[in-house]
Each structure stands twice: as structure tokens, then as C-alpha cells.
Amino acid sequence: MLIKPLPQRLSHPALPLQAPAVRRGLALALSAASRALHGLAERLAAPPARPARPAPPHVLEFHAEAGAPEGALYLDGVLVGHVAGVRRL
């Protein structure tokens, strides 16, 4: 296995070598732009979804006493039907 040392200049040979101050300025500008875009993305992102709450259990009621329709069947307080000929469950 051959190990080749890295050149002192890591940029492409056709590109001019820039002064360290220019590179540092560009790096700071790119870093600031990255932080700004990250903040913008966090503000625009949808909030995390909350876990769904389980539905409350349904309440089934049967009424066959005086004053109520004979054999009335209610689900969550809404009349859903009648059970004919039944006086108690």
C-alpha cells in the first residue's frame, strides 16, 4: 500500500491561493449564514406531533322504567334504538 503525502496547498492548482484573511472572512460568513438558515428552518418547521389520546370509552345505557320509552337504548346519551319486549338487561 502506497501512502502519498498531502500537498501543502489543498485547493485546486488552477485556483489562485487566497490570503488567510480572505479565507477566514469567507468561513465566518458561511458559518453565520448557516446559523441563520438553521434558525429559520427551526421557526418554519412544523411542531412535533403529539401522541394521540385514546378515545374515551362509550357509555351504553338501557332504560325501561316509568317515564322512559319502553326498552330505550342510549349510546353516549343519544337514543340509538329500542329493544322490543325487554324490560331489563
Side-chain angles (χ1 to χ4, degrees), residues 3 6 8 12 14 21-22 30 36 41-43 50 53 56 58 82-83 87:
I3 298 177
L6 290 175
Q8 292 295 327
H12 191 272
V22 173
L30 286 173
E42 283 186 339
R43 285 194 303 273
R50 291 186 200 174
R53 293 184 196 170
H58 294 288
H82 295 277
V83 182
R87 294 191 179 269

Side-chain angles (χ1 to χ4, degrees), residues 8 28 31 41-42 62 69 86:
Q8 292 295 327
L28 289 173
S31 179
E42 283 186 339
F62 176 77
V86 177

Side-chain angles (χ1 to χ4, degrees), residues 48-78:
R50 291 186 200 174
R53 293 184 196 170
H58 294 288
V59 177
L60 184 64
E61 302 174 49
F62 176 77
H63 294 279
E65 59 265 356
E70 185 74 22
L73 193 59
Y74 293 88
L75 179 64
D76 294 333
V78 178

Side-chain angles (χ1 to χ4, degrees), residues 9 11-12 15-27:
R9 184 174 167 189
S11 64
H12 191 272
L15 297 174
L17 183 61
Q18 298 168 341
V22 173
R23 287 191 305 218
R24 188 174 299 117
L26 287 173

